[in-house]
Amino acid sequence: MLRTLRHRLILSHVLPVLLVLPVIGIALIYVLETNILLPVLANELTGQAQLIARLSDGSPTLWQNPTEAQAFVNSIQSQSLPRIELINADGLLLASNVSTDADRLGQPLAHPALPKALQGQQSVRTTYSRFMQTEIADVLYPVKAADGRVLGVIRLSHQLASVQDLFLQVRYLIISILAFGLGVGVLVGLLLALNMERPLRQVTLAVYNLTRGDLTAVRIEHGPEEIRLLLHAVNSLVERLRGLEEARRQLLANLVHELGRSLGAVHSAIWALLGRSGDKKSTRQELLTGVERAVVHLERLLDDLAQLHGQVLGTLELNRQPVDLNTWLPQMLVSWQQAAVAKGLQWQVTLPADLPVVNADADRLAQVVGNLVSNAIKYTLESGAVQITAGQKNGQLWICVADTGPGISAEEQAHIFEPLYRGKRGSRFPQGMGLGLNIARDLVVAHGGQIQVESEVDRGSRFTVWLPL
Ligand code: ADP
């Protein structure tokens, strides 16, 4: 029964109500009966006794004459009155309105408070016992003559039977109210438990679905704060998994495309070389240059993939050495100059003579600048220009690669540094794997710097690398 969370929740909500309400009920009934009902009854009896005493004032012989006393008692007898007994100054029972008292008439009355009452002291007693057969409210009221002498005592008492109905009514009322409260408590507990259990079940279902590859977010985010947080966490997980799945698909598609393109170029060059075209020296040279370009492209692709692999494993370690930019930068740009010139681009490098020596990983830095220059050459059409400049500002080194290419819209600028993101510029420009800028940014950040992009559509782009000195 208690194996499920739902049952435990219901029980934890209902149990306190089940335990507390009956205790409150019993305490309430006890306090009400002993502290309120009984004192009220006793007060009422005292008031009635005073009234009867005043009535008896008109007949002073009453306390000596049992017949007259009994006639007096009978005359005031009514449904609403309790047991009435008249006792004379000697403590003998003169008259009573209860028929079973007939054989006690004329006998002394045994009552612990009677001696004091005969001396003029009023007595009020209440007794609370469920099984009592005796009186539960009892009043002895002395009647005095004008000179203060006690003429007799009026005794009024309520017996259990006469007030039992009243007590039972009170008990039923309290029990009904508590039973209603109990019902409402159980119902509220049940609703709360179900309300908590439902979203939990939804999260569990969503996690099951995740394992089966269903990456839809759990939509209903209600229930208690903690459950909503849990749902939120599951949805974030779903979102992340969806991103990873998308990246995996994109990576595979890009890989197939890039490998296919380069291999296709190599393959067709080999076919041409094996055929007649291989005979002519100039054609052979051209075909082999094409093959070399495809192989270089594949090497770069492999570099990018190795870098990505390093990122995934979190093993990006820098081998920092002093790098003299005055010699290093022009040297590393030579191969790019050839590529740019071969494409018919205007190539311009403007470097000041006092570039600093930086403490950096030269290979990684070459990869950063290489990726930026490679993009500039790739995305700029023939007769366009690529310009490299560098300098120092506010204790930082900057290297800028600018081109007169197609530019990047503000919307795309927000995404170009994401892994596997490729712009939507169609077949007019060759596309890469969408890794170059992401890798460049990670490497610059690892050096403690940052990359900035400024671009306008159809006007060109400027990528600036900032490195702290
Ligand atoms: P890719 O390998 O596809 O070039 P990158 O990460 O280097 O990937 O660049 C991401 C995208 O940014 C490119 O697909 C392209 O749309 C855009 N981009 C990068 N550099 C330039 C540039 N110099 N001019 C225009 N667009 C660029």
Side-chain angles (χ1 to χ4, degrees):
M1 152 81 182
L2 283 180
R3 274 185 42 229
T4 64
L5 189 61
R6 179 206 289 213
H7 288 143
R8 285 181 192 201
L9 281 173
I10 293 174
L11 201 71
S12 69
H13 280 104
V14 167
L15 208 58
V17 181
L18 279 177
L19 291 179
V20 172
L21 277 192
V23 174
I24 293 180
I26 291 170
L28 205 64
I29 289 174
Y30 180 79
V31 170
L32 210 68
E33 291 183 358
T34 57
N35 287 1
I36 299 176
L37 284 182
L38 281 180
V40 166
L41 278 178
N43 270 347
E44 194 188 320
L45 285 181
T46 312
Q48 286 172 347
Q50 279 170 351
L51 203 66
I52 294 171
R54 221 165 288 146
L55 285 175
S56 70
D57 268 1
S59 31
T61 52
L62 180 89
W63 300 100
Q64 282 87 44
N65 187 341
T67 321
E68 194 183 336
Q70 187 61 48
F72 175 70
V73 167
N74 291 345
S75 71
I76 55 173
Q77 165 80 346
S78 101
Q79 281 289 319
S80 60
L81 277 177
R83 177 186 192 160
I84 309 168
E85 288 169 317
L86 299 186
I87 300 129
N88 70 8
D90 301 324
L92 302 178
L93 184 62
L94 273 183
S96 165
N97 66 345
V98 181
S99 55
T100 48
D101 279 348
D103 48 344
R104 286 171 55 225
L105 294 177
Q107 309 260 332
L109 185 86
H111 191 291
L114 186 61
K116 284 199 170 169
L118 289 174
Q119 284 167 18
Q121 250 180 49
Q122 178 188 325
S123 136
V124 179
R125 270 195 327 157
T126 54
T127 324
Y128 187 74
S129 163
R130 186 174 287 265
F131 305 105
M132 66 200 159
Q133 290 302 312
T134 57
E135 302 78 14
I136 57 164
D138 188 29
V139 169
L140 291 181
Y141 189 82
V143 181
K144 295 174 188 167
D147 56 4
R149 189 170 43 90
V150 174
L151 293 172
V153 173
I154 299 169
R155 182 186 182 201
L156 296 186
S157 56
H158 268 304
Q159 289 197 299
L160 180 68
S162 61
V163 292
Q164 206 165 22
D165 278 353
L166 180 65
F167 274 29
L168 280 180
Q169 269 176 19
V170 170
R171 283 178 196 177
Y172 282 143
L173 187 71
I174 290 177
I175 288 171
S176 326
I177 292 172
L178 291 185
F180 176 74
L182 200 72
V184 171
V186 169
L187 203 72
V188 170
L190 212 74
L191 285 178
L192 281 176
L194 290 177
N195 192 33
M196 203 181 284
E197 186 249 12
R198 207 174 305 128
L200 256 183
R201 209 168 263 274
Q202 284 173 337
V203 182
T204 315
L205 207 71
V207 175
Y208 264 132
N209 289 344
L210 278 187
T211 58
R212 279 193 264 115
D214 176 3
L215 295 182
T216 40
V218 190
R219 254 170 263 291
I220 314 149
E221 294 208 0
H222 61 74
E225 173 107 30
E226 288 80 359
I227 303 270
R228 264 185 293 141
L229 275 178
L230 181 63
L231 275 171
H232 199 69
V234 170
N235 279 344
S236 311
L237 187 70
V238 170
E239 199 56 40
R240 171 120 181 84
L241 279 177
R242 218 188 285 151
L244 285 176
E245 178 61 18
E246 181 56 37
R248 189 180 68 90
R249 267 187 219 164
Q250 188 73 51
L251 180 66
L252 270 179
N254 293 2
L255 257 181
V256 169
H257 181 256
E258 289 301 302
L259 286 177
R261 196 156 59 92
S262 302
L263 283 178
V266 172
H267 203 191
S268 42
I270 290 173
W271 267 107
L273 285 169
L274 288 175
R276 283 232 189 108
S277 327
D279 298 345
K280 209 169 154 201
K281 193 173 174 212
S282 61
T283 318
R284 199 169 57 224
Q285 194 64 37
E286 222 172 87
L287 288 170
L288 284 173
T289 312
V291 170
E292 202 218 350
R293 219 180 295 131
V295 171
V296 168
H297 180 72
L298 282 178
E299 274 174 358
R300 291 223 183 92
L301 191 68
L302 200 64
D303 270 358
D304 280 356
L305 284 175
Q307 193 69 43
L308 185 70
H309 186 233
Q311 274 182 23
V312 172
L313 294 181
T315 54
L316 185 62
E317 273 178 26
L318 298 180
N319 176 23
R320 285 183 188 258
Q321 304 272 335
V323 181
D324 184 355
L325 290 172
N326 289 309
T327 49
W328 178 83
L329 197 53
Q331 264 171 25
M332 75 130 314
L333 288 174
V334 170
S335 62
W336 292 109
Q337 178 173 9
Q338 286 168 2
V341 172
K343 191 176 172 182
L345 297 176
Q346 233 179 294
W347 177 261
Q348 196 185 347
V349 178
T350 314
L351 303 175
D354 60 345
L355 279 177
V357 175
V358 289
N359 195 26
D361 185 327
D363 289 342
R364 310 280 198 182
L365 208 54
Q367 207 174 347
V368 172
V369 180
N371 283 356
L372 297 182
V373 176
S374 150
N375 278 350
I377 296 173
K378 191 161 64 177
Y379 294 112
T380 308
L381 292 177
E382 287 144 46
S383 79
V386 173
Q387 190 184 37
I388 322 282
T389 44
Q392 295 181 61
K393 193 177 173 190
N394 302 333
Q396 295 198 81
L397 162 79
W398 57 267
I399 302 172
C400 174
V401 179
D403 63 57
T404 55
I408 308 164
S409 68
E411 188 203 330
E412 277 200 294
Q413 282 177 33
H415 298 289
I416 52 176
F417 292 100
E418 290 169 7
L420 301 169
Y421 178 83
R422 303 198 301 180
K424 310 171 188 76
R425 37 186 99 269
S427 55
R428 210 149 65 95
F429 298 96
Q431 293 286 322
M433 285 279 289
L435 290 173
L437 286 180
N438 175 254
I439 289 169
R441 191 206 39 199
D442 281 4
L443 291 177
V444 171
V445 169
H447 277 90
Q450 53 169 327
I451 292 193
Q452 217 177 35
V453 58
E454 299 153 84
S455 185
E456 233 178 280
V457 176
D458 295 333
R459 300 290 293 271
S461 314
R462 288 168 69 84
F463 285 87
T464 312
V465 173
W466 293 87
L467 291 177
L469 287 175

